[in-house]
Amino acid sequence: MRAMSPPLVLPLLLLLCTCGAAAEDNRRQPRLALRSKKDAELTRLRSGSTVPSTTLTAARLGAAQTAPVVQQESSRAGVLGLLGGVMIHLACGSMYTWGNLLSYMPPHLKYWSGDASGKGLPDAQLVLPFILVSQMTGMPLGPMLEKFMGPRLTALLGALMMGCGVTLAASAKTLKHFVLLWSVMFGLGVGIAYQQPFITGARWFPKKKGMVTGAIISGLGVSAFLFNILSTKLINPKNLEAVNDAFPPEIYASWPSLLRTLGLIYGTLAVVGALLQSNPNSHDAKYPLLDYFSRSRAPHTSAARGTSPSTPKASVTSAAQPSVTSLVFSRQFAIYWLMILNSAVSGLNIIGSYKTFGAKQPHLNSDAFLSLVGSLASILGNAAGRFAWGAFADIFGFKTPFMILTVIQAVTMMFFKQLAATRATFTMATVVMLFCMGGNFAMFPAQAMRVYGASGASVYSFLFTAFGAASLLGPRLATVLLKRGGFELVFRSLGALSFVSLVLAATCM
């Protein structure tokens, strides 16, 4: 049997660790409940009470059925939902291959003017920030649509938008047209589908929010590892080198076919992942769209409603929650927003420009090497960081791990130019920066779920605007600072912003 490739091993291991721990908790719950009922019954008998009780009898009769039912629901539909979440995030995470894809983009698409001989940093470096802004715009729609038509159909809508956006971008003749399709349509699809696995995962495994979020979102980091390698193999199989930042014409001629292939892959992954999303039966929700189409038919099937079969629904009483508006305009929200803005800007800048920077350094200018760096940084940095920091936050709380992250990130960013002196240290620095960037993306959604409870997904939709703002701030600052002090001033200034987040975390939390 052929060995499984290393990139696929990591997300599977993360899922096994997360789901194993969560499933074990679920297996323990009915046993602990049964033991408590037995103890209470024995206490009643010893005290001489004559009040009739059927607790012990019912517990004995139901013991053989209760634990297997909970275990079956958690280990099948719940784990499949997490696996589907990884698949959705594999498609979402393809946005982080833009630093690699930009080098293969035909010259006339790199500038708003369409001038193939444009000078300076290409305008197409804004494609990734525009994706994040579109994602930021689509994210509030995700939880709203989920309440209307359930997690499965909501994720499916986002999946179709992602696949169509990339596929149609293959026909773009100008950068404006390309941005509307790749950045806007794809980005909105990402925003709509992004949180659906978090929502269902938190319902299946409520005590493991950090690990569940980290495991799902690790797919986003693994994505760049896989698709950086795949994209380079598809468009540049001969490993041709760029001369004066330009590839031979045969590379640019393969651009449309590359996008069509990637669009098909992204769409397939996201659609299958969406179909695996479901709620546990303990989550009793009504979805108006499904109710409307089911009025003239039998009661909802669990598949139509996005719930898991085989177990009866338990009655759930929701506690009163503050309005999302009041939470978004709170002081606590403002502090979290500023922490994201100042902490995320460094990693987002590196992931979008590491290859452009490396190509300008004679000892780093190798397309194969820079693609390898991006792939390693994606899996060992972005993917591993999302799971690791999420798990750290589950164990040690949010504040301490986040403060450690900001210090590591600030020091690495401020000395990034010096660390690029050799290929080994450049690779290490890029991996570390993406490791910290992944932590930012993993820790804040889990923290929002903890702090804001049932409103966590909706609040995080607005909190995510800080990532969009950071993605736009980085390139703008870099353009200004590059003219005044070169790359060293860029790295020092962006790195210093991480200390702002450190101070906010230390003094305001």
Side-chain angles (χ1 to χ4, degrees), residues 17-296:
C17 292
T18 305
C19 300
E24 181 61 26
D25 283 348
N26 284 331
R27 282 196 295 270
R28 289 173 182 167
Q29 288 173 2
R31 295 172 186 169
L32 291 174
L34 177 60
R35 187 178 300 130
S36 298
K37 291 176 181 178
K38 288 181 177 179
D39 291 344
E41 184 68 15
L42 288 173
T43 301
R44 185 189 67 80
L45 293 173
R46 288 170 182 168
S47 66
S49 173
T50 58
V51 179
S53 172
T54 58
T55 302
L56 185 57
T57 303
R60 285 173 178 169
L61 292 174
Q65 298 176 354
T66 304
V69 167
V70 176
Q71 181 181 352
Q72 181 183 19
E73 188 179 26
S74 299
S75 62
R76 290 186 181 179
V79 173
L80 285 175
L82 292 182
L83 179 60
V86 172
M87 296 176 74
I88 291 173
H89 278 252
L90 281 169
C92 295
S94 63
M95 72 174 80
Y96 295 115
T97 63
W98 186 246
N100 182 46
L101 290 175
L102 177 58
S103 62
Y104 305 123
M105 194 177 199
H108 70 278
L109 289 177
K110 290 184 177 181
Y111 296 90
W112 299 118
S113 63
D115 184 4
S117 60
K119 303 279 185 183
L121 293 175
D123 295 322
Q125 69 173 338
L126 292 172
V127 167
L128 177 59
F130 281 135
I131 291 176
L132 290 170
V133 171
S134 299
Q135 178 186 355
M136 171 188 73
T137 305
M139 282 187 70
L141 298 176
M144 292 170 58
L145 290 172
E146 191 273 336
K147 294 176 182 178
F148 181 66
M149 60 185 185
R152 181 175 294 134
L153 290 181
T154 304
L156 187 60
L157 173 63
L160 293 173
M161 292 179 68
M162 282 190 273
C164 291
V166 176
T167 302
L168 294 174
S171 63
K173 303 299 182 184
T174 65
L175 179 57
K176 182 178 180 179
H177 184 198
F178 183 87
V179 166
L180 286 173
L181 292 169
W182 185 295
S183 297
V184 178
M185 182 182 286
F186 175 82
L188 285 172
V190 171
I192 290 171
Y194 188 87
Q195 291 196 88
Q196 301 311 308
F198 299 159
I199 293 171
T200 57
R203 290 167 182 166
W204 282 101
F205 308 116
K207 295 183 178 180
K208 301 290 181 181
K209 291 184 176 69
M211 291 184 67
V212 166
T213 301
I216 293 171
I217 210 170
S218 67
L220 219 127
V222 173
S223 172
F225 179 94
L226 295 173
F227 292 122
N228 271 337
I229 294 175
L230 178 62
S231 299
T232 298
K233 291 293 184 183
L234 288 174
I235 199 169
N236 191 11
K238 299 178 183 178
N239 193 27
L240 301 176
E241 300 294 344
V243 178
N244 296 324
D245 293 332
F247 280 100
E250 63 184 276
I251 297 294
Y252 302 130
S254 301
W255 176 256
S257 63
L258 171 67
L259 298 194
R260 285 191 289 269
T261 301
L262 294 178
L264 178 62
I265 296 172
Y266 301 160
T268 301
L269 281 170
V271 165
V272 174
L275 294 175
L276 292 174
Q277 298 308 302
S278 67
N279 290 319
N281 269 355
S282 58
H283 180 76
D284 189 7
K286 294 182 178 179
Y287 299 117
L289 181 65
L290 299 180
D291 288 340
Y292 175 80
F293 285 108
S294 302
R295 282 174 186 169
S296 60

Side-chain angles (χ1 to χ4, degrees), residues 444-506:
F444 281 98
Q447 180 68 359
M449 298 289 185
R450 295 187 196 97
V451 173
Y452 299 112
S455 300
S458 298
V459 173
Y460 182 68
S461 299
F462 294 96
L463 199 58
F464 191 85
T465 59
F467 287 108
S471 71
L472 291 174
L473 177 65
R476 292 301 182 188
L477 279 178
T479 300
V480 173
L481 297 173
L482 195 62
K483 296 176 181 177
R484 299 188 177 184
F487 280 108
E488 185 164 359
L489 180 61
V490 172
F491 297 143
R492 291 287 173 92
S493 301
L494 297 183
L497 292 177
S498 292
F499 286 119
V500 177
S501 293
L502 174 65
V503 172
L504 288 171

